[in-house]
Amino acid sequence: MTQFQGFPSEAFQFFIEIVHNNNKEWFEEHKPDFKKYVQLPAQQFVEALGERLETLAPDIRHDTKLNGSGSIMRIYRDVRFSKDKTPYKTNLGISWWEGSGKKMEEPGYFFHLDRDGAWFAGGMYAFSKEVMAAYRKAVDDKQGATLEKAVARAELAGLEISGIGKYSRVPRDFNKEHPRAELLKRKGIVAVSAGIPPEVVMTPELVDVCFEHAKAILPLHQWLVSIRSSS
């Protein structure tokens, strides 16, 4: 088992400071702190939780590379099409995914850390055109009842159902009075935990907390894996 001791208090301090010093000069000066207090424990966390997630979903994938191709998101922002030209993200993003495609296009689990604490989630934040078609077909079919049960289990465990958003109307070609109309409107679907406080994030207990959330999200994850394979 990979040893993870928690994210140190210095990780929170780094994100507090970068909010107010989001520039290349400050970041280059504090890059050693970023590597030591954010990236290194992040790699340990990826492995530790990844090993646990494999007991739920044997085909889950994770990778400790730091170049953006692995589980750990790069801190550098893509500012080409953004009005906000600050060069760095003020949070850490981590993912574990299932499927042969790009990580953000597959069902998976997600971890977010910033200066205030963390949260854990699972699902697909935004559907591609192909996945959207398969999702709607499944929701309309008998598989839709299975999704309802998966959503209900997540909500019962205290998770919030979210995603990139919803359409205002039931999609064309579906009954406006469909019993699963709200699910049909979704553009993506994720189950998101309540905030995980710093005092937990700074301990090995973080792995256990996220694993418990992952178990509650598992039926949703499995449902999305099944429809993703048919898209």
Side-chain angles (χ1 to χ4, degrees):
M1 293 290 289
T2 300
Q3 294 300 312
F4 169 71
Q5 299 304 316
F7 286 92
S9 60
E10 289 89 347
F12 290 99
Q13 188 61 36
F14 175 86
F15 286 121
I16 289 170
E17 293 184 16
I18 199 171
V19 168
H20 304 291
N21 301 277
N22 202 320
N23 60 75
K24 188 176 188 297
E25 292 74 21
W26 184 90
F27 180 75
E28 289 300 322
E29 182 181 347
H30 292 82
K31 198 170 184 178
D33 292 338
F34 174 66
K35 290 181 176 180
K36 181 177 180 179
Y37 301 126
V38 178
Q39 287 185 321
L40 179 58
Q43 289 177 307
Q44 296 168 344
F45 181 59
V46 165
E47 290 283 7
L49 184 56
E51 290 169 2
R52 298 284 294 277
L53 293 177
E54 286 171 355
T55 67
L56 301 177
D59 294 325
I60 205 81
R61 299 171 64 190
H62 59 276
D63 190 324
T64 59
K65 289 191 186 74
L66 299 173
N67 62 2
S69 66
S71 295
I72 301 167
M73 311 298 181
R74 283 163 57 86
I75 194 170
Y76 306 99
R77 295 182 63 249
D78 184 351
V79 301
R80 291 174 299 171
F81 309 107
S82 174
K83 292 181 180 179
D84 180 0
K85 298 300 182 182
T86 52
Y88 305 106
K89 299 172 187 174
T90 57
N91 66 273
L92 169 71
I94 297 175
S95 66
W96 300 257
W97 68 99
E98 184 167 351
S100 58
K102 295 180 179 179
K103 60 186 176 184
M104 299 310 293
E105 296 176 0
E106 300 288 359
Y109 291 102
F110 315 98
F111 176 79
H112 172 103
L113 173 66
D114 59 31
R115 61 180 180 173
D116 297 318
W119 48 260
F120 186 80
M124 295 183 77
Y125 181 71
F127 298 137
S128 66
K129 183 178 179 180
E130 293 76 15
V131 173
M132 178 71 81
Y135 170 82
R136 288 174 176 172
K137 184 177 182 298
V139 171
D140 185 44
D141 200 358
K142 60 183 179 180
Q143 293 171 278
T146 305
L147 176 59
E148 283 185 310
K149 292 177 182 177
V151 166
R153 175 174 172 178
E155 290 179 324
L156 187 63
L159 293 114
E160 178 182 357
I161 304 303
S162 183
I164 196 172
K166 295 196 295 184
Y167 292 101
S168 58
R169 298 174 182 171
V170 174
R172 197 173 8 178
D173 301 329
F174 294 93
N175 186 345
K176 292 180 180 179
E177 304 302 321
H178 196 289
R180 291 183 285 278
E182 292 305 308
L183 287 173
L184 285 170
K185 293 178 185 178
R186 289 202 165 273
K187 299 178 182 179
I189 186 167
V190 291
V192 186
S193 78
I196 305 172
E199 52 265 32
V200 173
V201 178
M202 291 189 290
T203 71
E205 184 187 353
L206 177 64
V207 175
D208 297 326
V209 169
C210 291
F211 185 65
E212 289 303 310
H213 290 318
K215 287 195 292 185
I217 298 168
L218 181 62
L220 173 61
H221 173 78
Q222 291 173 327
W223 191 92
L224 288 168
V225 168
S226 71
I227 68 109
R228 177 70 179 94
S229 63
S230 67
S231 63

